[in-house]
Amino acid sequence: MDKLQPFEKDFYRGSTVEVARRLIGQYLCRESEQGTVYGSIVETEAYLSSNDPACHASVGRTGRNTTMFGPAGRAYVYLIYGLYYCFNVVTGPESEGEAVLVRAIEPAGGLGLMKKRRGPSCSPANLASGPGKLCHAFAIDKSLDGHELQKKPLYIAENKNATRYNRIKATPRIGISVAQDRLLRFVVPGNKYLSRREPIG
DNA sequence: GTTAAGATCTGCT
DNA sequence: GCAGATCTTAACG
């Protein structure tokens, strides 16, 4: 495999929606003592600071969401339903409280290690096709909350074949009970590693 | 101190 | 398709 070069902080500048779209097709890489896993991001969701009650930051700064109010380009990791972690990329100006949730990844390297973590009978399409699943496959937990994504052991790097993912579609976000009308989820249409299949039509 | 809800996943029917 | 698992967080008293 070619050496993967992490993006610099400039990559995370711009609006949260821009970054959410820019992340599609790029590599998420995770190094550990067990080995390295990486894959292409195929599904993201934007969470905004204004007029977005679904965003954790909408209630102001709390213990859990403090990282969201830090500088862009860091990881925001939290536990949901007492069981699963969700991995976000902090975006927007500092103190703004915006982030992009990474919901699904198409595995590209370290498939064996992902399988070891997720279970031997787990199919490739099921390894990281959802926020909780991808955190499990990538061994992402609360210890990485606040980590800067420009460096090891967790970083985002350029995928030179990202043109394959040039088509991006906006859809409603998943799993939220408010602001369901906003088209802030971005997917590679028809990709088989999404957390949900394309709605028909 | 107590309680209700949550950016989910899995297994069973 | 649906219910159950499982527990932290934050709001309230």
Side-chain angles (χ1 to χ4, degrees), chain A residues 53-68:
Chain A
C55 181
H56 285 172
S58 65
V59 295
R61 193 187 297 238
T62 66
R64 175 174 67 169
N65 67 23
T66 294
T67 304
M68 284 183 89

PDB file of all heavy atoms in Angstrom, chain A residues 53-68:
ATOM      1  N   PRO A  53     -31.707  21.683  16.107  1.00  0.00           N
ATOM      2  CA  PRO A  53     -31.923  21.079  17.430  1.00  0.00           C
ATOM      3  C   PRO A  53     -31.374  19.655  17.538  1.00  0.00           C
ATOM      4  O   PRO A  53     -31.246  19.130  18.640  1.00  0.00           O
ATOM      5  CB  PRO A  53     -33.452  21.082  17.574  1.00  0.00           C
ATOM      6  CG  PRO A  53     -33.977  21.228  16.191  1.00  0.00           C
ATOM      7  CD  PRO A  53     -32.954  21.989  15.415  1.00  0.00           C
ATOM      8  N   ALA A  54     -31.046  19.017  16.412  1.00  0.00           N
ATOM      9  CA  ALA A  54     -30.513  17.654  16.466  1.00  0.00           C
ATOM     10  C   ALA A  54     -29.041  17.647  16.871  1.00  0.00           C
ATOM     11  O   ALA A  54     -28.500  16.610  17.240  1.00  0.00           O
ATOM     12  CB  ALA A  54     -30.663  16.975  15.103  1.00  0.00           C
ATOM     13  N   CYS A  55     -28.399  18.797  16.813  1.00  0.00           N
ATOM     14  CA  CYS A  55     -26.974  18.884  17.130  1.00  0.00           C
ATOM     15  C   CYS A  55     -26.756  18.896  18.639  1.00  0.00           C
ATOM     16  O   CYS A  55     -27.476  19.595  19.360  1.00  0.00           O
ATOM     17  CB  CYS A  55     -26.404  20.161  16.506  1.00  0.00           C
ATOM     18  SG  CYS A  55     -24.645  20.396  16.795  1.00  0.00           S
ATOM     19  N   HIS A  56     -25.813  18.119  19.119  1.00  0.00           N
ATOM     20  CA  HIS A  56     -25.534  18.097  20.557  1.00  0.00           C
ATOM     21  C   HIS A  56     -25.215  19.483  21.092  1.00  0.00           C
ATOM     22  O   HIS A  56     -25.492  19.795  22.244  1.00  0.00           O
ATOM     23  CB  HIS A  56     -24.348  17.172  20.854  1.00  0.00           C
ATOM     24  CG  HIS A  56     -24.692  15.723  20.756  1.00  0.00           C
ATOM     25  ND1 HIS A  56     -23.746  14.730  20.815  1.00  0.00           N
ATOM     26  CD2 HIS A  56     -25.889  15.112  20.587  1.00  0.00           C
ATOM     27  CE1 HIS A  56     -24.348  13.553  20.694  1.00  0.00           C
ATOM     28  NE2 HIS A  56     -25.634  13.758  20.547  1.00  0.00           N
ATOM     29  N   ALA A  57     -24.630  20.320  20.254  1.00  0.00           N
ATOM     30  CA  ALA A  57     -24.198  21.638  20.708  1.00  0.00           C
ATOM     31  C   ALA A  57     -25.358  22.619  20.808  1.00  0.00           C
ATOM     32  O   ALA A  57     -25.190  23.733  21.292  1.00  0.00           O
ATOM     33  CB  ALA A  57     -23.129  22.188  19.756  1.00  0.00           C
ATOM     34  N   SER A  58     -26.559  22.208  20.378  1.00  0.00           N
ATOM     35  CA  SER A  58     -27.684  23.138  20.367  1.00  0.00           C
ATOM     36  C   SER A  58     -28.099  23.541  21.775  1.00  0.00           C
ATOM     37  O   SER A  58     -28.774  24.539  21.967  1.00  0.00           O
ATOM     38  CB  SER A  58     -28.874  22.511  19.638  1.00  0.00           C
ATOM     39  OG  SER A  58     -29.343  21.388  20.363  1.00  0.00           O
ATOM     40  N   VAL A  59     -27.714  22.746  22.790  1.00  0.00           N
ATOM     41  CA  VAL A  59     -28.073  23.068  24.163  1.00  0.00           C
ATOM     42  C   VAL A  59     -26.955  23.844  24.856  1.00  0.00           C
ATOM     43  O   VAL A  59     -27.026  24.072  26.065  1.00  0.00           O
ATOM     44  CB  VAL A  59     -28.379  21.795  24.973  1.00  0.00           C
ATOM     45  CG1 VAL A  59     -29.611  21.114  24.414  1.00  0.00           C
ATOM     46  CG2 VAL A  59     -27.201  20.845  24.974  1.00  0.00           C
ATOM     47  N   GLY A  60     -25.947  24.223  24.093  1.00  0.00           N
ATOM     48  CA  GLY A  60     -24.816  24.919  24.687  1.00  0.00           C
ATOM     49  C   GLY A  60     -23.725  23.941  25.074  1.00  0.00           C
ATOM     50  O   GLY A  60     -23.860  22.731  24.904  1.00  0.00           O
ATOM     51  N   ARG A  61     -22.670  24.464  25.621  1.00  0.00           N
ATOM     52  CA  ARG A  61     -21.530  23.625  25.975  1.00  0.00           C
ATOM     53  C   ARG A  61     -21.848  22.776  27.199  1.00  0.00           C
ATOM     54  O   ARG A  61     -22.331  23.283  28.210  1.00  0.00           O
ATOM     55  CB  ARG A  61     -20.317  24.520  26.251  1.00  0.00           C
ATOM     56  CG  ARG A  61     -19.004  23.774  26.315  1.00  0.00           C
ATOM     57  CD  ARG A  61     -17.885  24.703  26.749  1.00  0.00           C
ATOM     58  NE  ARG A  61     -17.665  25.775  25.781  1.00  0.00           N
ATOM     59  CZ  ARG A  61     -16.481  25.985  25.173  1.00  0.00           C
ATOM     60  NH1 ARG A  61     -15.464  25.224  25.430  1.00  0.00           N
ATOM     61  NH2 ARG A  61     -16.351  26.988  24.327  1.00  0.00           N
ATOM     62  N   THR A  62     -21.623  21.486  27.115  1.00  0.00           N
ATOM     63  CA  THR A  62     -21.808  20.584  28.255  1.00  0.00           C
ATOM     64  C   THR A  62     -20.559  19.718  28.394  1.00  0.00           C
ATOM     65  O   THR A  62     -19.636  19.812  27.581  1.00  0.00           O
ATOM     66  CB  THR A  62     -23.027  19.663  28.055  1.00  0.00           C
ATOM     67  OG1 THR A  62     -22.761  18.788  26.957  1.00  0.00           O
ATOM     68  CG2 THR A  62     -24.287  20.447  27.782  1.00  0.00           C
ATOM     69  N   GLY A  63     -20.555  18.867  29.390  1.00  0.00           N
ATOM     70  CA  GLY A  63     -19.398  18.006  29.589  1.00  0.00           C
ATOM     71  C   GLY A  63     -19.116  17.137  28.388  1.00  0.00           C
ATOM     72  O   GLY A  63     -17.982  16.962  27.981  1.00  0.00           O
ATOM     73  N   ARG A  64     -20.173  16.601  27.815  1.00  0.00           N
ATOM     74  CA  ARG A  64     -20.005  15.673  26.713  1.00  0.00           C
ATOM     75  C   ARG A  64     -19.508  16.343  25.442  1.00  0.00           C
ATOM     76  O   ARG A  64     -18.642  15.811  24.750  1.00  0.00           O
ATOM     77  CB  ARG A  64     -21.346  14.973  26.422  1.00  0.00           C
ATOM     78  CG  ARG A  64     -21.286  14.068  25.203  1.00  0.00           C
ATOM     79  CD  ARG A  64     -22.561  13.275  25.007  1.00  0.00           C
ATOM     80  NE  ARG A  64     -23.707  14.101  24.670  1.00  0.00           N
ATOM     81  CZ  ARG A  64     -24.872  13.625  24.241  1.00  0.00           C
ATOM     82  NH1 ARG A  64     -25.026  12.321  24.128  1.00  0.00           N
ATOM     83  NH2 ARG A  64     -25.861  14.428  23.964  1.00  0.00           N
ATOM     84  N   ASN A  65     -20.090  17.510  25.117  1.00  0.00           N
ATOM     85  CA  ASN A  65     -19.839  18.059  23.786  1.00  0.00           C
ATOM     86  C   ASN A  65     -18.736  19.112  23.730  1.00  0.00           C
ATOM     87  O   ASN A  65     -18.576  19.779  22.704  1.00  0.00           O
ATOM     88  CB  ASN A  65     -21.139  18.634  23.210  1.00  0.00           C
ATOM     89  CG  ASN A  65     -21.625  19.860  23.973  1.00  0.00           C
ATOM     90  OD1 ASN A  65     -20.860  20.540  24.637  1.00  0.00           O
ATOM     91  ND2 ASN A  65     -22.905  20.138  23.871  1.00  0.00           N
ATOM     92  N   THR A  66     -17.981  19.251  24.782  1.00  0.00           N
ATOM     93  CA  THR A  66     -16.944  20.289  24.816  1.00  0.00           C
ATOM     94  C   THR A  66     -16.022  20.242  23.596  1.00  0.00           C
ATOM     95  O   THR A  66     -15.655  21.284  23.052  1.00  0.00           O
ATOM     96  CB  THR A  66     -16.103  20.151  26.104  1.00  0.00           C
ATOM     97  OG1 THR A  66     -16.929  20.431  27.223  1.00  0.00           O
ATOM     98  CG2 THR A  66     -14.924  21.115  26.091  1.00  0.00           C
ATOM     99  N   THR A  67     -15.675  19.050  23.160  1.00  0.00           N
ATOM    100  CA  THR A  67     -14.762  18.939  22.015  1.00  0.00           C
ATOM    101  C   THR A  67     -15.317  19.605  20.766  1.00  0.00           C
ATOM    102  O   THR A  67     -14.577  20.144  19.951  1.00  0.00           O
ATOM    103  CB  THR A  67     -14.468  17.460  21.718  1.00  0.00           C
ATOM    104  OG1 THR A  67     -13.943  16.851  22.898  1.00  0.00           O
ATOM    105  CG2 THR A  67     -13.455  17.317  20.600  1.00  0.00           C
ATOM    106  N   MET A  68     -16.630  19.595  20.620  1.00  0.00           N
ATOM    107  CA  MET A  68     -17.246  20.207  19.432  1.00  0.00           C
ATOM    108  C   MET A  68     -16.963  21.701  19.356  1.00  0.00           C
ATOM    109  O   MET A  68     -17.029  22.292  18.278  1.00  0.00           O
ATOM    110  CB  MET A  68     -18.768  20.030  19.465  1.00  0.00           C
ATOM    111  CG  MET A  68     -19.251  18.652  19.120  1.00  0.00           C
ATOM    112  SD  MET A  68     -21.060  18.600  19.122  1.00  0.00           S
ATOM    113  CE  MET A  68     -21.416  19.059  17.428  1.00  0.00           C
TER     114      MET A  68
END
